[in-house]
Amino acid sequence: MSIHIVPEPKKLEFKERWFEFDGFENFPEFLSKEFQIPKGSWKIKKIEKNGTGINIKDKEVEIWGDTNICFATLIQLILQNKNQLPEIYVEEDFKFKFRGYHLDIARGGVPLLKEFKRILRLLYLLKYNFFAIYFEDLFPWKSFPQIGALRGRLAEEELREIIDYGKNLGIEVFPSLELCGHMENILILPEFMKYSEWHRPEEGCLDVSNEEARNFTYKLLSEVIEFFPSQYIHIGGDETWALGRGRSLDKTGIFQGPELFEMHHKNLIYQVKESGKIPMVWGDMLTGMYLREEEKERWKIVLESNIWDETVIANWDYTHLSEEHFEKKINMFGKRKEKEIASPGVSNWGRFYPNFDIALTNITNFLRQAKKENLPGFLLTAWGDDGAECLYSFLNPLILATMEIAEGKENWEEKYKALFKEKDELIEIRKLLGQNSVAETIKHVFLGDTLYRYNTEFKIELKSTGDFWVDYYLGISSLLSNKDELLKIYSNVLNKMESIALPEDLSLMKNMLKIAINRLNGNLSFSEYIAFGKKYADLWLSERKKANLEKVIIKIYGAGGRADLNIY
């Protein structure tokens, strides 16, 4: 019988014996309840010793160091065999002090309280110690009760319970805000439109040249600082490409985006620091990420500013490029590496199912270099662009894989099977659904959207441009243009799913594959979309509030209506 611990410990000695286990008489009450650890005759004995570890003897477990790590390891062992514990000696050590998970609740559905708790239990089990909630407009601001009110924003009581639950698990829950870009769900409200950089507030960028607009964000930040007991406050700062190009440009006729960015974020950083907390900011605008070369030169003044010495930089990059790429990316911040954390992603955004191929390459290559460069931590990100269609349950393997890649030996599949009690066939299905040719195309084929129609109705020769992201999207177009190959790939996955008992979420993906195959064969019906939509809604509502479900349901039922009318 194999023993699996996530992440792989620094030292594990198995003495080839198993003891009968009936429960603990002194396991922490909170953990016993939340992880259903039975009461019994075994004892936990805390000893003084360097480092962190456990030593399992008959009827007794010695623990030392970080008790949260020790208890998480014990829970992992109990999950694998509830009636026996192995005689083992384990020492654990972590390369990264900051091990975080960042969840976007703003662009899709807001998790139910029970789902937040499930996520926090998973993070505890896998030895994460930070959890960031990305709010945008969904924080419970007292001064602005209308913000986020129609989108399921968290109530104060809910948020306090989430923070306290995390604290009981040794996980710091901290806020991730947007106070410059990505403010569209606030700026589209009538009373706040005047603060928009663009005359079309859906773009989401704040007019930082407007003092009233800046003061508005400082008030938003003030309430969050006062509410959260966390040491970290993430102030955002990503993807503010529109800054300086709208109303602020109208005032002077001079583009001052970099200067406005530095000024505004300097004020935000100092506001956080004056409260005794640690500010965190995204790193993309500091380096001119995704800007044209001539524009990058213009933004160099931002990176050279000394204000970033005062903050933690979350350096995000979701590409599946080489380790050499990430080495360069990490070193763009120079001496600031001491406060830089690597931020890979699970590639769930804009998809019904995460792209395992991209995510695992991104996570592996980024975190390997983060270890080599001695970064202090990582922050794994899950985003909800385009409605957050991807169910949270699909992310579990990637959350586990990230910790194993970061701190262990990268053999995550065996450990996932052991902890989640899944067979080889089910892991294979998860990876097949997550292969690039399926994860990147299934949504477009299932919905019969414009991208699918364009690439199947017009046969256009596609050539590489040398631009990473342009070529990435051309790659999706190339996949979609070959209906015969897609039919072969989808049919292969479906055939493997037919003989396996599937959990409800994977059963949903099986139905999606069937509908996509019917579309490729030119045989669609309205009823199958209705049935799929109802099943999807049930699964959504099992983990999220009902607000924002309509974003996805409109797409699903719209595709069914078009099929019914033979539009396309």
Side-chain angles (χ1 to χ4, degrees):
M1 191 183 298
S2 299
I3 296 170
H4 297 286
I5 296 174
V6 179
E8 188 70 23
K10 181 174 79 171
K11 185 175 183 180
L12 192 160
E13 295 177 355
F14 176 39
K15 299 174 184 178
E16 303 297 331
R17 280 211 303 168
W18 292 85
F19 303 121
E20 293 301 314
F21 174 71
D22 63 352
F24 287 104
E25 67 175 44
N26 63 335
F27 207 76
E29 196 66 34
F30 181 81
L31 295 177
S32 293
K33 178 185 173 185
E34 298 306 311
F35 289 95
Q36 300 179 337
I37 306 300
K39 287 281 186 183
S41 58
W42 281 61
K43 293 181 181 179
I44 302 286
K45 181 181 178 181
K46 194 170 191 314
I47 64 173
E48 293 300 320
K49 192 173 181 179
N50 291 333
T52 294
I54 66 171
N55 186 23
I56 299 180
K57 306 174 182 180
D58 192 11
K59 298 289 185 179
E60 181 181 88
V61 179
E62 293 178 338
I63 67 171
W64 60 93
D66 187 333
T67 55
N68 282 316
I69 299 299
C70 298
F71 290 133
T73 295
L74 280 172
I75 294 168
Q76 287 186 22
L77 294 172
I78 294 167
L79 286 175
Q80 293 171 64
N81 191 337
K82 66 180 182 179
N83 298 316
Q84 290 182 311
L85 283 179
E87 185 177 12
I88 57 170
Y89 176 89
V90 175
E91 291 181 3
E92 302 197 60
D93 189 33
F94 291 82
K95 180 74 174 177
F96 297 111
K97 292 181 180 179
F98 186 108
R99 304 180 298 279
Y101 179 56
H102 179 283
L103 180 65
D104 174 4
I105 70 169
R107 264 88 66 88
V110 178
L112 299 170
L113 190 56
K114 67 174 186 177
E115 181 66 11
F116 270 116
K117 291 181 177 180
R118 183 198 68 80
I119 292 168
L120 283 165
R121 286 195 299 274
L122 176 65
L123 296 180
Y124 177 85
L125 182 69
L126 300 177
K127 301 164 189 173
Y128 286 77
N129 55 1
F130 289 94
F131 177 48
I133 303 174
Y134 178 80
F135 287 102
E136 288 193 5
D137 60 324
L138 298 179
F139 177 84
W141 283 286
K142 288 183 178 178
S143 301
F144 306 100
Q146 71 275 45
I147 293 178
L150 300 179
R151 295 196 342 105
R153 83 175 193 173
L154 289 172
E156 281 190 49
E157 299 75 22
E158 290 176 308
L159 188 50
R160 288 193 198 282
E161 191 166 343
I162 293 163
I163 293 168
D164 290 344
Y165 194 84
K167 183 179 179 181
N168 286 329
L169 293 171
I171 296 172
E172 178 176 310
V173 179
F174 69 96
S176 178
L177 307 172
E178 291 289 5
L179 299 166
C180 187
H182 287 299
M183 293 186 67
E184 57 271 19
N185 287 310
I186 296 176
L187 297 178
I188 60 172
L189 301 178
E191 59 269 56
F192 306 121
M193 288 181 177
K194 59 185 177 181
Y195 299 147
S196 173
E197 171 72 279
W198 284 74
H199 300 283
R200 183 176 178 273
E202 289 83 357
E203 197 286 328
C205 192
L206 188 78
D207 176 9
V208 173
S209 70
N210 181 337
E211 183 179 5
E212 185 181 347
R214 294 198 305 273
N215 288 336
F216 168 63
T217 63
Y218 303 151
K219 189 169 184 178
L220 294 177
L221 177 58
S222 178
E223 281 201 38
V224 175
I225 290 172
E226 184 178 347
F227 186 92
F228 265 88
S230 60
Q231 62 177 316
Y232 290 100
I233 304 288
H234 198 317
I235 59 174
D238 61 316
E239 298 180 335
T240 59
W241 302 306
L243 184 60
R245 302 179 189 278
R247 286 183 170 133
S248 59
L249 183 62
D250 293 343
K251 293 174 186 175
T252 63
I254 301 172
F255 173 65
Q256 295 181 304
E259 292 84 357
L260 290 169
F261 183 91
E262 182 193 15
M263 176 269 291
H264 183 49
H265 286 85
K266 180 179 180 179
N267 293 340
L268 295 169
I269 287 167
Y270 286 166
Q271 186 177 348
V272 174
K273 286 184 66 65
E274 285 172 3
S275 73
K277 297 179 184 291
I278 302 170
M280 186 180 294
V281 66
W282 297 116
D284 56 306
M285 297 310 295
L286 280 59
T287 60
M289 184 178 179
Y290 302 134
L291 294 175
R292 297 188 299 274
E293 287 304 317
E294 59 270 23
E295 288 190 271
K296 284 185 181 180
E297 287 297 315
R298 186 73 177 80
W299 278 82
K300 273 187 177 179
I301 62 168
V302 174
L303 182 60
E304 292 166 358
S305 172
N306 62 9
I307 65 169
W308 314 115
D309 298 340
E310 308 288 324
T311 183
V312 172
I313 299 172
N315 185 4
W316 66 268
D317 189 315
Y318 308 136
T319 60
H320 46 297
L321 292 172
S322 67
E323 289 187 50
E324 290 73 24
H325 164 81
F326 289 104
E327 179 184 13
K328 292 177 184 176
K329 186 69 182 286
I330 289 168
N331 282 290
M332 292 178 80
F333 295 101
K335 65 177 184 179
R336 297 188 181 111
K337 281 195 300 184
E338 296 175 1
K339 291 185 176 180
E340 177 186 345
I341 56 176
S343 296
V346 294
S347 290
N348 64 313
W349 49 93
R351 304 173 178 95
F352 275 89
Y353 195 88
N355 188 320
F356 277 45
D357 287 351
I358 291 179
L360 290 170
T361 302
N362 169 252
I363 292 163
T364 300
N365 291 349
F366 204 167
L367 294 186
R368 281 178 180 171
Q369 287 303 314
K371 282 187 277 190
K372 287 181 182 178
E373 298 294 332
N374 294 313
L375 296 193
F378 67 87
L379 183 64
L380 178 67
T381 57
W383 296 102
D385 304 46
D386 200 23
E389 302 105 335
C390 184
L391 297 170
Y392 296 137
S393 58
F394 292 146
L395 305 181
N396 295 340
L398 294 171
I399 296 172
L400 182 148
T402 298
M403 183 57 73
E404 188 58 38
I405 290 165
E407 299 285 0
K409 293 185 176 178
E410 303 184 6
N411 55 329
W412 68 270
E413 292 98 329
E414 290 301 316
K415 298 189 176 187
Y416 183 83
K417 285 188 294 184
L419 288 181
F420 286 83
K421 300 291 186 183
E422 289 196 355
K423 296 180 179 179
D424 290 340
E425 295 85 355
L426 209 50
I427 290 289
E428 183 187 8
I429 292 300
R430 293 188 185 279
K431 293 170 74 173
L432 285 172
L433 288 169
Q435 65 184 310
N436 189 67
S437 56
V438 177
E440 291 301 306
T441 61
I442 189 70
K443 172 180 175 177
H444 305 293
V445 180
F446 170 77
L447 296 177
D449 62 14
T450 301
L451 189 63
Y452 170 78
R453 291 188 63 205
Y454 185 83
N455 286 290
T456 54
E457 294 178 23
F458 298 95
K459 299 299 181 183
I460 297 173
E461 185 179 356
L462 303 173
K463 296 181 179 178
S464 174
T465 66
D467 180 286
F468 175 83
W469 284 112
V470 173
D471 287 348
Y472 163 75
Y473 288 111
L474 288 178
I476 298 174
S477 292
S478 179
L479 287 169
L480 290 170
S481 67
N482 193 336
K483 293 171 70 173
D484 291 339
E485 183 62 22
L486 279 181
L487 191 58
K488 186 188 302 182
I489 293 169
Y490 290 179
S491 297
N492 176 56
V493 179
L494 183 61
N495 287 338
K496 293 190 175 182
M497 297 177 87
E498 292 287 9
S499 58
I500 302 173
L502 300 171
E504 283 191 302
D505 54 357
L506 290 182
S507 180
L508 180 81
M509 293 307 300
K510 177 181 173 181
N511 292 338
M512 177 175 273
L513 273 173
K514 286 181 177 179
I515 296 172
I517 288 171
N518 285 344
R519 180 179 292 282
L520 292 169
N521 285 325
N523 181 27
L524 287 172
S525 71
F526 181 58
S527 61
E528 58 189 354
Y529 279 99
I530 296 300
F532 181 92
K534 288 180 178 178
K535 183 62 177 176
Y536 180 89
D538 287 343
L539 289 171
W540 170 293
L541 294 171
S542 72
E543 62 179 29
R544 315 181 200 190
K545 297 182 179 183
K546 65 180 180 180
N548 303 310
L549 171 59
E550 73 278 0
K551 288 185 178 180
V552 187
I553 290 299
I554 286 171
K555 298 175 192 175
I556 296 170
Y557 288 178
R562 293 193 301 273
D564 188 49
L565 297 171
N566 292 317
I567 297 174
Y568 55 86

